[in-house]
Amino acid sequence: MEEILARLEEIEKEALSAIEIAHNQEALEEIRVRYLGRKGIVNAILRGIKDVPPELRPTIGQKGNEVKEKIQTALEQRLKALKQAELSTGPRLDITLPGRRAYFYGTLHPITQTLREICDIFLRMGFEIAEGPDVEVGFYNFDALNIPPHHPARDMHDTFFVAKEAKLSPHFPKEKDDILLRTHTSSIQIRVMKNQPPPVRIIAPGAVYRCDADVSHTPMFHQVEGLLVDKNVSFTHLKGILTAFMEAIFGEKIGVRFRPSYFPFTEPSAEMDISCVICGGKGCRVCKGTGWLEILGCGMVDPAVFIQVGYDPEEWTGFAFGLGVERIAMLKYGIDDIRLFFENHLRFLRQF
Amino acid sequence: MLVPVKWLKEFVDFPYSPAELAERLTMTGLEVEGIEEPFSYLKKVVVGQIETVKPHPNADRLKICVVSLGEDKLEIVCGAPNVREGMRVPLALPGCKLPSGLEVKKTKIRGIKSPGMLCSQKELGLGEDHSGIWTLPKDLKIGLTLAEALGLDDAVLEVSITPNRGDCLSILGVAREIAALTKQKVRYPEVNIEETGAPADEEFKVTVVHPDHCYRYVGRLIRDIKLGPSPWWMQARLLLAGIRPINNIVDITNYVMLECGQPLHAFDAERIAKKHIIVRLAKEGERITTLDGKEHALTSLDLLICDLKGPIALAGIMGGHNSEITPETRHVFLESAYFNPVTIRKTAKRLGISTEASYRFEREVDPEDTFFAAQRASYLMQLLAAGKVAPRAIDVYPKPYRPKRVFLRIPRVKQILGMEIKKEQVVDILKALQIEVKEGDNTLELIPPSYRHDLEREIDFIEEVARLYGYENIPSSFPVIPLKAKPISFAQKIREQIKDIMAGLGWSEVITYAFIDPKIFDKLRLPQNHPLRKVPKLLNPLTSERAVMRSTLIPGLLEACDYNRRQQISHLRLFELSKVFFQHKENNLPEERYKLGGILSGYHYDFSWHFNPPQEADFYDLKGNIEALLKAIGIEGVKFVFQEDIPYLHPARSAYVIKEDKTIGYLGEIHPEVQEAWDLKYTAFVFELDIDALLGCMPDQKRFKPLPKFPFTSRDAAFIVPLDFVAQEIEDFVFDLKVSYLEKISIIDVYQGKGIPEGTKSLTYRLVYRAPDRTLTDEEVEKIHKTIVNKILKQFQITVR
Ligand SMILES: [Zn+2]
């Protein structure tokens, strides 16, 4: 009996070392047949069990099964290893070839992206989005905003007028019922205030038009107008909200300043500057050496505007601001020519 | 406005450098846009005196001048005929960059060294004379730079004056702002007139016929003037302020205008017919030739200065040709007036003239200063043109200035600014601005100076307080405001969502101009009465190519496509979501609608090794994208039907997009003629969807449908149909049968060619069957499927393949 057990152990060793050096699936199969096949070596030995006394047979049977299992496991492990080796040594794909896609991702226009960023900041601060017509009545664009006809302030707005039946001759238009392309989205302020009681908290994004075209002007561009009217809204709030906005869009480190200016529909009025994003305030060509960039106009809503829309200027106060979207996009993306926005060169659009 | 700093210093003291001054002014609302030293090149030009003139050994026409610069002497080669010994001349030294761009260098002329260049007045940018070397006045000190000698060594601030601050359109006005800042007083310019001769009002008469347009008219008579150039200090200041010197009389009127802000006009007194000035509105059709030689036809809204024969000046804008100062002028009648700003502006705008005078009158001059300005100019004419000022000014003042009285409530300052500024400080600031202040308990009674037309209401004074207190000294804070749950509308949300979907589908967003060329309608083959031609037209377009508002996004998209083609990009997908405009009725605001439009051109796919050779895009590329978009925003059950009335689309390759009998848009291949008109490289496919129509078809709320619990079974059926048979018909028919357990029918193959008869094609559909409560048996499916197929065959009289 001892002899048989020793023989089994010997066979186990032999088989395991054969498995270890087998280098393909065929070799492994051969080993399997040779040792574990019905007519294999292990079975042949076990068949010799009949010459052993019956009380010893279970011991041998157990040992035989153990050996079989060990060989079987070793075969499986070796097979797995061989398959893995085969995967990595087999023919490889050229993974450097470009992938298959029908179409590259599309892009949103940089103005859309900038508008969204601006709007998102104000939406988070509790403003709503208001809209109004691009083709406006003179009253909303000028008169109601405290810009009377023949006021020099109209020089700040090179206006496109829309032809009316009676007025096909291009004499100088000036009436309240003139139809024109809005020169600012401030006209929406009036429409909103005329339609709802205070408080008001809106931003009004949109295209605006001025008859002006050169390197730094396009006849159409985009503005976001803002208006906050409530009880106890003051100049300190104007500074707070607009400073927070600039920090949100240009980063916490941006410097800001407010300086007196003039808009007929706000008083006190201010021009807001940010520290030059190109030179960081040291002075460069873009900021004309001042270190500051003009970024938006703002001010406290003029009482005349409140009276025009039927709000009591003693009870309600507010501030308004208007900012140029192209200007912000140009500073953010480092675009140096405003006309690029409207040429729609795909190589330009794809950059954003 | 250009403000020379040294001139400013004549009126007010300040301890700032030009840069500091610019900063201070900017922060009080007078924005300084630049600081220039326009004549810095004259620092390299020195005043010299010619000691000797020698002939040039190698050239007859050239001379060698020995020029003394005080201690140094230089030999300069010069070709000008007028060089003489003892002549005082400007000598440009090497390194000097003249206005023409010429840089003076040490040179050799015909073998003789010349370390500089003698210059004419024109070469130095100081006048028109180019006849020879400029003979400088003897009082210019030899050796000084010309910049110093002429007083041109000054920094000039370019100040941007807002339309409400007409009072700052003068050196004195800017000085007053500085004085308010530094709590100083301004010094007014000198006037010291010695009147002689017969009083002016005995010789001249002034009648203001329309006082609503001319509130005040001051006239002074100055006799026996000697016309000539003004002294250099005056010319220099005019040059620094950007005004061309002409002669002493005209220069004085300009000088005083720059000084005080009051435009003046000098008439040749002998050319005023009957010595009677009449200020009146023009008669319709009346004409005047202004001193620039242009003739203008007038309307009854234009104000004129006339004599008894007719117009002699366009009031406040420009003098008349018939009364201007000429070399023969002996006596001057000087006008200093206050004209109604609106009157002047209307005429200036209508005639398209803007002068230094009209610009100031439009922004209102100081009615109380008209007399002083006349005095000052008369004095200068006496001083610089040997004029004899006639006694007694004529002063017609039909609408005297009435000081305004405004009350300022101290608590209101806090309400607006959000911070408290003490009453004493408020008073201090207002007084510094020359505002009269009467103090009450919590209220101030204020009278602004006559030049501050912008101070009329309480809020105007609050702005003054804030301005001088310094915006930078007002703190920042946040208002406390309630939150809102719905800050944007459904439409706003969906528009942005659509843009995102389009970008996700591989389309790039464009933004095109909202105005287009009306000729494009012809290129789009639109008949004359087509609704798309009813657009708002601009009265004053920049170019004829941008003369009307668009009624469709297609022109802009074609233009963008064309632009890209010229950049060698012809494979593209561009979309725009924007407004279009329809002018239904004249005199009303147009209808504005949001549209989504797109253009697709090039190949099915981006060029790559996977899809090589590339295949040109077709109708189905576009349709697939529209289907995907509609599905993504939740619009289902859309039909595509042939369109026949869109002139710019290929009639056999285009369709309307229909949802429940409502047209929501269209798509298709561009018409070959349109294609040709734009010269596009590849066939272009376009679409437009109406955003409001889309919004109307969108479900208010997407709804969950339970997921299937049992497996489906599918069967295919192929039919032979005529070539023009439309696949959708069978789908619609089967759908309308409302067979139970039929879940879906879709086309899976379209075949034409070998194996089927000519003139026909084969359509293969896949029908999917499923029961909600059990697995269908093969027998059941087979039965239903057969029934459907038979019904199809019967309905369309077609055969199974
Ligand atoms: Zn900079």
Side-chain angles (χ1 to χ4, degrees):
Chain A
M1 191 197 79
E2 293 304 317
E3 209 176 301
I4 296 175
L5 289 178
R7 177 80 184 119
L8 278 172
E9 266 173 34
E10 203 175 298
I11 283 169
E12 181 192 313
K13 261 188 214 152
E14 195 185 295
L16 290 184
S17 58
I19 289 168
E20 211 169 300
I21 56 163
H23 59 277
N24 59 32
Q25 290 192 41
E26 290 76 43
L28 280 179
E29 183 57 19
E30 248 170 55
I31 295 168
R32 194 188 65 79
V33 173
R34 194 147 74 94
Y35 291 92
L36 302 181
R38 245 178 332 120
K39 293 175 185 166
I41 297 173
V42 179
N43 277 342
I45 293 173
L46 289 178
R47 264 194 299 274
I49 210 167
K50 57 184 186 290
D51 303 330
V52 178
E55 66 276 18
L56 294 179
R57 281 180 198 165
T59 319
I60 293 171
Q62 202 186 339
K63 180 73 188 173
N65 283 334
E66 270 176 32
V67 170
K68 272 189 182 177
E69 259 169 49
K70 274 192 187 159
I71 295 173
Q72 184 64 38
T73 312
L75 276 169
E76 281 167 15
Q77 277 175 356
R78 183 63 188 154
L79 185 64
K80 228 178 175 177
L82 278 177
K83 281 189 176 164
Q84 177 62 33
E86 225 171 85
L87 286 181
S88 42
T89 54
R92 294 203 301 182
L93 275 186
D94 180 354
I95 47 86
T96 65
L97 282 172
R100 183 180 297 112
R101 55 171 168 74
Y103 241 97
F104 213 52
Y105 65 91
T107 47
L108 294 178
H109 197 283
I111 292 301
T112 297
Q113 295 189 38
T114 309
L115 257 171
R116 280 191 184 178
E117 202 176 336
I118 294 168
C119 290
D120 282 349
I121 294 167
F122 284 110
L123 287 171
R124 274 180 261 137
M125 290 199 278
F127 287 73
E128 280 176 80
I129 294 183
E131 293 178 284
D134 290 36
V135 183
E136 249 308 356
V137 184
F139 174 79
Y140 290 101
N141 197 74
F142 289 128
D143 304 70
L145 286 162
N146 201 28
I147 314 175
H150 309 298
H151 194 277
R154 290 209 179 188
D155 284 353
M156 295 153 93
H157 302 252
D158 290 317
T159 312
F160 283 115
F161 290 92
V162 172
K164 293 169 75 177
E165 216 169 9
K167 270 197 203 164
L168 278 167
S169 70
H171 77 84
F172 182 65
K174 63 210 166 288
E175 311 303 335
K176 281 185 184 187
D177 59 349
D178 275 333
I179 295 179
L180 43 83
L181 304 189
R182 67 180 173 205
T183 57
H184 46 191
T185 44
S186 311
S187 49
I188 298 172
Q189 273 190 33
I190 303 296
R191 287 185 174 271
V192 170
M193 285 194 281
K194 277 197 158 251
N195 280 322
Q196 72 167 80
V200 176
R201 206 157 67 230
I202 53 145
I203 49 168
V208 299
Y209 308 85
R210 306 236 175 131
C211 48
D212 203 355
D214 57 42
V215 193
S216 47
H217 297 90
T218 47
M220 180 180 101
F221 54 102
H222 296 79
Q223 270 191 349
V224 175
E225 173 82 6
L227 175 70
L228 190 150
V229 178
D230 213 323
K231 290 187 176 168
N232 307 316
V233 174
S234 70
F235 197 85
T236 61
H237 301 140
L238 173 153
K239 285 188 73 172
I241 294 257
L242 293 179
T243 304
F245 167 74
M246 289 305 166
E247 287 173 356
I249 202 150
F250 287 110
E252 298 281 332
K253 288 202 179 109
I254 198 80
V256 302
R257 72 174 188 186
F258 292 81
R259 56 188 166 79
S261 188
Y262 168 73
F263 306 103
F265 42 100
T266 52
E267 188 154 7
S269 298
E271 200 76 63
M272 185 180 189
D273 296 340
I274 55 168
S275 53
C276 180
V277 294
I278 310 292
C279 65
K282 283 187 218 84
C284 69
R285 196 181 53 83
V286 176
C287 59
K288 290 185 201 154
T290 62
W292 293 100
L293 296 168
E294 213 170 287
I295 198 84
L296 63 74
C298 54
M300 300 302 292
V301 178
D302 195 293
V305 174
F306 280 145
I307 289 167
Q308 186 64 249
V309 299
Y311 288 10
D312 179 359
E314 293 293 317
E315 191 180 350
W316 302 96
T317 50
F319 66 81
F321 57 88
L323 54 90
V325 182
E326 277 77 1
R327 174 115 175 114
I328 290 186
M330 288 170 86
L331 293 174
K332 273 188 81 73
Y333 299 123
I335 297 167
D336 57 3
D337 187 342
I338 189 170
R339 292 170 300 190
L340 284 168
F341 289 118
F342 304 102
E343 280 171 359
N344 296 308
H345 190 152
L346 203 55
R347 292 185 189 96
F348 170 79
L349 298 173
R350 281 248 180 260
Q351 293 182 22
F352 305 98
Chain B
M1 198 186 58
L2 297 175
V3 181
V5 173
K6 281 186 186 163
W7 197 350
L8 201 52
K9 282 194 168 151
E10 210 161 89
F11 301 120
V12 66
D13 298 323
F14 49 87
Y16 314 126
S17 71
E20 283 163 348
L21 179 64
E23 167 81 11
R24 297 297 301 259
L25 285 173
T26 297
M27 293 311 282
T28 39
L30 299 189
E31 189 191 351
V32 178
E33 290 181 328
I35 309 169
E36 303 275 341
E37 236 183 280
F39 296 103
S40 56
Y41 61 93
L42 294 182
K43 288 180 173 171
K44 288 205 168 150
V45 180
V46 285
V47 179
Q49 173 144 311
I50 300 180
E51 296 210 326
T52 44
V53 180
K54 305 185 281 191
H56 191 290
N58 308 322
D60 290 346
R61 294 209 168 170
L62 297 179
K63 288 162 198 145
I64 299 167
C65 303
V66 181
V67 181
S68 158
L69 304 176
E71 286 169 17
D72 297 333
K73 283 192 178 88
L74 291 174
E75 291 200 352
I76 306 294
V77 179
C78 176
N82 69 330
V83 285
R84 300 276 178 278
E85 279 171 23
M87 182 174 161
R88 213 152 282 193
V89 288
L91 173 64
L93 298 174
C96 172
K97 229 179 174 176
L98 294 169
S100 63
L102 177 79
E103 193 178 327
V104 179
K105 289 189 179 113
K106 276 188 186 171
T107 51
K108 251 186 188 176
I109 301 172
R110 294 280 187 108
I112 302 290
K113 280 186 194 166
S114 182
M117 179 180 145
L118 298 180
C119 299
S120 72
Q121 201 175 23
K122 190 172 181 187
E123 279 167 327
L124 293 172
L126 297 173
E128 293 309 309
D129 191 0
H130 195 45
S131 59
I133 302 304
W134 186 12
T135 312
L136 294 176
K138 284 282 177 202
D139 57 352
L140 297 192
K141 201 175 155 221
I142 296 168
L144 277 185
T145 69
L146 198 61
E148 280 175 279
L150 295 178
L152 287 167
D153 54 337
D154 199 2
V156 177
L157 306 183
E158 193 189 337
V159 188
S160 159
I161 308 284
T162 52
N164 59 327
R165 293 303 304 272
D167 64 295
C168 288
L169 290 169
S170 63
I171 312 291
L172 200 56
V174 176
R176 282 192 297 246
E177 281 291 299
I178 298 170
L181 260 178
T182 58
K183 305 269 152 67
Q184 307 238 345
K185 285 238 173 322
V186 294
R187 290 181 290 270
Y188 279 84
E190 188 191 1
V191 174
N192 190 4
I193 298 177
E194 290 164 33
E195 299 179 337
T196 53
D201 54 1
E202 283 173 12
E203 197 179 332
F204 275 82
K205 210 175 141 190
V206 172
T207 311
V208 175
V209 180
H210 295 113
D212 284 346
H213 301 279
C214 174
Y215 298 179
R216 188 176 191 182
Y217 194 102
V218 175
R220 283 225 80 147
L221 179 63
I222 301 100
R223 298 192 182 93
D224 298 325
I225 55 103
K226 291 212 164 43
L227 202 68
S230 9
W232 255 100
W233 61 264
M234 181 176 276
Q235 291 196 38
R237 283 184 172 177
L238 290 175
L239 283 167
L240 286 166
I243 288 185
R244 198 165 53 94
I246 295 175
N247 58 46
N248 50 8
I249 299 300
V250 175
D251 289 356
I252 286 167
T253 59
N254 283 331
Y255 186 83
V256 175
M257 174 183 71
L258 291 177
E259 216 174 39
C260 309
Q262 170 67 50
L264 301 168
H265 186 65
F267 294 100
D268 183 330
E270 288 174 301
R271 296 170 80 186
I272 299 172
K274 306 282 182 199
K275 301 186 177 177
H276 190 170
I277 296 267
I278 298 156
V279 185
R280 62 161 170 87
L281 290 173
K283 294 175 200 123
E284 203 69 41
E286 204 167 355
R287 291 179 165 268
I288 184 170
T289 303
T290 42
L291 44 78
D292 55 1
K294 290 192 183 120
E295 196 185 8
H296 306 280
L298 305 175
T299 73
S300 59
L301 297 174
D302 304 320
L303 190 67
L304 287 175
I305 311 298
C306 303
D307 60 14
L308 279 184
K309 277 202 266 173
I312 56 173
L314 201 50
I317 300 175
M318 201 183 273
H321 182 63
N322 56 4
S323 59
E324 72 174 317
I325 304 292
T326 68
E328 285 75 47
T329 300
R330 294 190 299 159
H331 312 312
V332 166
F333 186 84
L334 182 73
E335 165 197 288
S336 175
Y338 177 97
F339 298 117
N340 182 330
V342 173
T343 312
I344 301 304
R345 183 174 165 82
K346 278 184 184 170
T347 301
K349 279 275 155 188
R350 191 179 56 78
L351 298 177
I353 314 173
S354 180
T355 59
E356 294 280 346
S358 69
Y359 192 82
R360 285 175 174 78
F361 281 123
E362 281 176 35
R363 283 155 182 76
E364 289 202 68
V365 298
D366 179 1
E368 293 287 274
D369 194 44
T370 22
F371 188 77
F372 176 77
Q375 293 293 89
R376 170 73 174 153
S378 304
Y379 170 64
L380 288 175
M381 288 186 191
Q382 165 190 312
L383 196 68
L384 306 175
K388 297 192 178 69
V389 182
R392 297 221 289 270
I394 299 169
D395 187 356
V396 183
Y397 200 175
K399 286 189 84 163
Y401 173 77
R402 276 200 203 91
K404 285 160 284 193
R405 200 172 299 275
V406 181
F407 292 92
L408 172 66
R409 296 161 295 171
I410 297 296
R412 181 73 171 165
V413 177
K414 191 184 173 197
Q415 190 190 0
I416 298 293
L417 301 184
M419 70 169 299
E420 191 153 344
I421 300 178
K422 285 207 172 63
K423 190 172 125 188
E424 299 75 64
Q425 206 172 350
V426 171
V427 171
D428 240 29
I429 288 172
L430 294 174
K431 282 187 172 162
L433 287 162
Q434 307 304 310
I435 295 164
E436 269 179 53
V437 183
K438 241 190 239 169
E439 288 185 49
D441 268 355
N442 244 338
T443 307
L444 306 177
E445 189 185 333
L446 307 171
I447 299 176
S450 57
Y451 49 83
R452 290 300 301 269
H453 300 283
D454 60 322
L455 302 183
E456 291 180 317
R457 304 168 301 160
E458 185 181 43
I459 194 73
D460 301 329
F461 290 91
I462 294 174
E463 182 175 59
E464 291 305 289
V465 172
R467 201 165 69 80
L468 277 118
Y469 183 79
Y471 284 6
E472 67 272 31
N473 298 321
I474 298 173
S476 291
S477 70
F478 280 100
V480 177
I481 44 182
L483 295 172
K484 265 189 186 146
K486 260 197 174 174
I488 62 171
S489 70
F490 182 65
Q492 286 160 355
K493 197 175 97 184
I494 298 305
R495 287 203 305 263
E496 294 312 306
Q497 199 184 330
I498 288 174
K499 290 185 194 171
D500 285 335
I501 293 166
M502 290 306 289
L505 288 169
W507 295 65
S508 289
E509 190 194 9
V510 298
I511 296 181
T512 66
Y513 287 126
F515 12 63
I516 57 171
D517 188 344
K519 283 201 197 100
I520 281 176
F521 295 136
D522 298 332
K523 282 168 107 180
L524 290 178
R525 308 177 67 253
L526 302 184
Q528 281 312 312
N529 56 351
H530 197 278
L532 287 180
R533 284 186 184 262
K534 296 216 167 79
V535 287
K537 299 172 182 64
L538 299 185
L539 256 184
N540 54 335
L542 274 177
T543 65
S544 61
E545 278 119 64
R546 310 232 177 270
V548 302
M549 301 302 280
R550 64 183 169 206
S551 50
T552 153
L553 299 175
I554 303 302
L557 291 164
L558 282 167
E559 198 181 311
C561 190
D562 184 48
Y563 182 86
N564 277 289
R565 179 187 58 80
R566 283 182 276 126
Q567 314 306 321
Q568 296 174 292
I569 302 172
S570 292
H571 169 66
L572 44 71
R573 299 175 168 198
L574 306 175
F575 80 96
E576 179 165 23
L577 196 164
S578 200
K579 280 180 180 175
V580 299
F581 306 82
F582 298 97
Q583 190 79 53
H584 298 302
K585 262 171 113 184
E586 300 267 11
N587 301 337
N588 282 16
L589 285 185
E591 183 194 4
E592 303 188 358
R593 296 187 77 89
Y594 277 103
K595 297 268 182 188
L596 171 69
I599 190 162
L600 176 155
S601 162
Y603 310 115
H604 287 322
Y605 313 120
D606 282 352
F607 178 80
S608 81
W609 65 282
H610 300 285
F611 309 120
N612 199 15
Q615 287 185 304
E616 266 197 53
D618 61 29
F619 176 84
Y620 299 106
D621 290 281
L622 179 58
K623 189 180 175 193
N625 279 276
I626 304 296
E627 287 166 331
L629 167 70
L630 294 174
K631 176 86 181 132
I633 56 173
I635 299 181
E636 304 202 36
V638 163
K639 287 195 178 138
F640 294 82
V641 299
F642 279 111
Q643 74 73 28
E644 278 157 3
D645 48 5
I646 301 174
Y648 46 93
L649 295 185
H650 192 303
R653 296 175 190 171
S654 56
Y656 278 127
V657 186
I658 307 252
K659 160 89 181 175
E660 284 153 12
D661 301 333
K662 252 178 72 188
T663 305
I664 57 178
Y666 64 83
L667 73 163
E669 184 176 322
I670 208 91
H671 194 285
E673 284 178 23
V674 178
Q675 175 90 19
E676 219 169 281
W678 260 276
D679 195 24
L680 302 176
K681 186 170 175 191
Y682 294 98
T683 310
F685 301 87
V686 297
F687 76 93
E688 240 181 335
L689 296 173
D690 187 89
I691 297 295
D692 281 337
L694 288 182
L695 291 172
C697 312
M698 283 177 68
D700 298 339
Q701 182 65 60
K702 286 187 178 168
R703 284 273 159 210
F704 166 73
K705 288 186 218 99
L707 300 174
K709 290 192 177 66
F710 294 92
F712 68 86
T713 311
S714 67
R715 292 283 186 280
D716 294 348
F719 304 100
I720 307 283
V721 297
L723 273 184
D724 60 353
F725 191 88
V726 174
Q728 175 91 31
E729 280 198 44
I730 288 182
E731 285 178 37
D732 289 349
F733 172 71
V734 170
F735 227 78
D736 288 345
L737 289 176
K738 298 200 165 36
V739 181
S740 24
Y741 309 139
L742 174 73
E743 190 175 88
K744 206 167 110 188
I745 172 167
S746 47
I747 189 128
I748 57 165
D749 189 39
V750 180
Y751 175 76
Q752 192 180 329
K754 227 175 124 188
I756 57 168
E758 221 167 276
T760 66
K761 62 186 173 185
S762 145
L763 300 177
T764 309
Y765 294 86
R766 177 157 296 165
L767 292 86
V768 175
Y769 302 94
R770 189 195 321 252
D773 52 351
R774 67 206 156 87
T775 305
L776 288 171
T777 63
D778 275 359
E779 294 76 48
E780 279 178 293
V781 171
E782 201 53 43
K783 210 177 131 197
I784 307 169
H785 185 67
K786 247 191 189 141
T787 320
I788 294 176
V789 170
N790 285 333
K791 283 187 174 163
I792 292 171
L793 296 178
K794 205 175 145 201
Q795 170 75 17
F796 296 101
Q797 293 296 309
I798 52 177
T799 54
V800 177
R801 185 181 173 192

